[in-house]
Amino acid sequence: QVQLVESGGGLVQAGGSLRLSCAASGRTFGAMAWFRQVPGKEREFVASITRSGYSTYYADSVKGRFTISRDNAKNTAYLQMNSLKPEDTAVYYCAANRHYGNGDYYLLNQYDYWGQGTQVTVSS
């Protein structure tokens, strides 16, 4: 089966760090990304990375604080989150597609596969 499984979420104080993991199985993927969503709001883009890992793209709200990476041998993507703020609190979703080029993939409709989400809560 094709699966994306997120892990690593939890409760952290403002200024702290978390690392999220996205374990993919069932096939290989092109670009991978992280999105997040809070109740009552639309799912928003956080970060993306191309198949090669050379090209990354970040939302302005997380640039300089979050780092996306991937290990294709493990078929896994990561999101290192530093200097966390209460407004980072959300359910974080891993996404993947079958695009192998160098584009900046930041739109919801550019992704075909989604994980179940992992909760990140940042306290004041």
Side-chain angles (χ1 to χ4, degrees):
Q1 287 186 309
V2 175
Q3 285 188 317
L4 299 174
V5 180
E6 302 96 334
S7 62
L11 176 64
V12 64
Q13 289 185 307
S17 298
L18 286 172
R19 189 177 76 154
L20 306 183
S21 297
C22 174
S25 62
R27 66 168 297 151
T28 57
F29 300 97
M32 299 185 73
W34 292 92
F35 290 76
R36 65 188 183 187
Q37 188 171 28
V38 299
K41 295 185 178 181
E42 296 182 350
R43 191 168 296 185
E44 68 171 344
F45 171 78
V46 176
S48 65
I49 186 167
T50 57
R51 173 67 181 179
S52 69
Y54 293 156
S55 180
T56 57
Y57 185 74
Y58 297 91
D60 288 343
S61 59
V62 306
K63 187 173 292 185
R65 300 188 297 120
F66 291 9
T67 302
I68 189 171
S69 61
R70 67 190 296 166
D71 184 340
N72 289 339
K74 296 181 178 180
N75 214 14
T76 300
Y78 305 93
L79 185 69
Q80 178 67 45
M81 304 185 294
N82 299 326
S83 301
L84 283 161
K85 304 174 181 180
E87 51 263 45
D88 294 319
T89 295
V91 176
Y92 283 71
Y93 295 90
C94 180
N97 62 27
R98 293 164 290 181
H99 303 308
Y100 295 87
N102 295 320
D104 294 329
Y105 304 103
Y106 59 91
L107 300 175
L108 285 166
N109 63 12
Q110 292 174 312
Y111 293 91
D112 306 301
Y113 306 95
W114 294 87
Q116 83 289 349
T118 186
Q119 177 71 46
V120 172
T121 302
V122 184
S123 63
S124 301

